[in-house]
Amino acid sequence: MPKHVDPDARRRLVVDALFRVVVREGLHRTSLRAVADEAQLNIGSLRHYFASQQDLMRFAMQSMLDRASSRLLEHVERIGDLEGHPRPEQLQLAAGFLAELLPLDEQRRAEVTVFLDFNTAARTNPAFGDLSRQAAEGTRWLMRRVLTRLDAAGTLRPGLDLDLESERLTALLDGLSLSAVLHPEILNPRACMDVLLAHLGDLSLIIGTPGSAH
């Protein structure tokens, strides 16, 4: 009797294998053969789901975006009613939400590494441009949403340009992510959170920087 194979489970297996190969070798050295070996599958099984390396890369990028979005949606409910929390707690909640985009553990480090490599490839490969732009627009929308909620709760200093601050916050997260992936011995997870909380504290009405949340 033929063995039943769950296509979704198989794709998740392949994507997890792809992430490990990219983290270890880099996207430019990641081939269908390398991913098949990492997933302990034969190359024919892999080609059943992905016709080319480009198809595999697009699926991996979309999977990474979906994973991050799923976690963010879980967290967004926690900051849904910020007015019901003290201001320092509001910043802690917002920082915890934004931290889902930072490489603070093994899973998020793998995702950010794939994200960085993919966006580098997208600079010269138009086949990846739409997903890269989708990610960039989605990040800015999230920054604007978080800052808008903090502003509505009366936590931010009055008169801030939220569009400008959304760009500054996006740039901060991008910079932290890049540095933490390239130089984890210099910028560790605790330091990432301290910098993020300090920035949010500078935008707020709170005197002093709220304590770190890990």
Side-chain angles (χ1 to χ4, degrees):
M1 186 175 189
K3 181 180 178 181
H4 174 71
V5 176
D6 181 342
D8 291 334
R10 177 60 60 83
R11 287 190 177 91
R12 287 193 296 271
L13 173 71
V14 170
V15 169
D16 287 342
L18 171 64
F19 280 16
R20 292 193 298 272
V21 174
V22 173
V23 170
R24 188 171 64 242
E25 305 290 342
L27 185 64
H28 64 291
R29 293 182 178 176
T30 300
S31 64
L32 286 175
R33 172 67 65 185
V35 175
D37 290 345
E38 182 73 22
Q40 298 183 332
L41 298 171
N42 62 59
I43 191 71
S45 295
L46 195 62
R47 290 189 184 280
H48 177 72
Y49 298 98
F50 307 101
S52 65
Q53 182 184 19
Q54 182 171 292
D55 288 344
L56 178 60
M57 298 307 171
R58 282 187 61 87
F59 184 81
M61 182 61 172
Q62 188 64 63
S63 296
M64 188 279 294
L65 295 175
D66 290 344
R67 287 182 184 187
S69 297
S70 178
R71 290 200 309 273
L72 288 166
L73 287 174
E74 291 177 9
H75 279 268
V76 76
E77 297 304 322
R78 301 179 191 177
I79 67 168
D81 183 19
L82 288 175
E83 294 181 7
H85 299 277
R87 283 175 179 164
E89 187 177 336
Q90 291 175 15
L91 295 188
Q92 296 279 5
L93 288 168
F97 176 83
L98 296 170
E100 290 301 320
L101 300 175
L102 293 173
L104 304 185
D105 54 31
E106 184 176 351
Q107 178 182 349
R108 282 175 285 182
R109 178 173 294 278
E111 290 173 353
V112 171
T113 300
V114 171
F115 179 78
L116 291 173
D117 275 16
F118 187 93
N119 276 294
T120 299
R123 186 182 69 83
T124 55
N125 188 338
F128 300 147
D130 59 326
L131 286 179
S132 179
R133 183 177 181 84
Q134 175 187 327
E137 291 175 344
T139 298
R140 283 160 175 77
W141 179 84
L142 285 170
M143 300 306 105
R144 187 67 160 77
R145 185 172 183 180
V146 170
L147 292 177
T148 297
R149 290 195 174 188
L150 287 171
D151 190 47
T155 305
L156 300 185
R157 290 185 282 108
L160 290 176
D161 182 334
L162 295 189
D163 288 331
L164 176 63
E165 295 304 335
S166 296
E167 286 296 332
R168 284 216 305 159
L169 188 52
T170 298
L172 176 68
L173 289 172
D174 285 347
L176 289 174
S177 295
L178 179 62
S179 293
V181 165
L182 293 179
H183 305 292
E185 74 285 358
I186 296 176
L187 188 65
N188 59 38
R190 181 182 182 87
C192 284
M193 287 302 297
D194 287 345
V195 171
L196 177 56
L197 280 163
H199 179 76
L200 293 177
D202 287 344
L203 299 180
S204 76
L205 292 168
I206 300 172
I207 303 300
T209 303
S212 301
H214 306 290

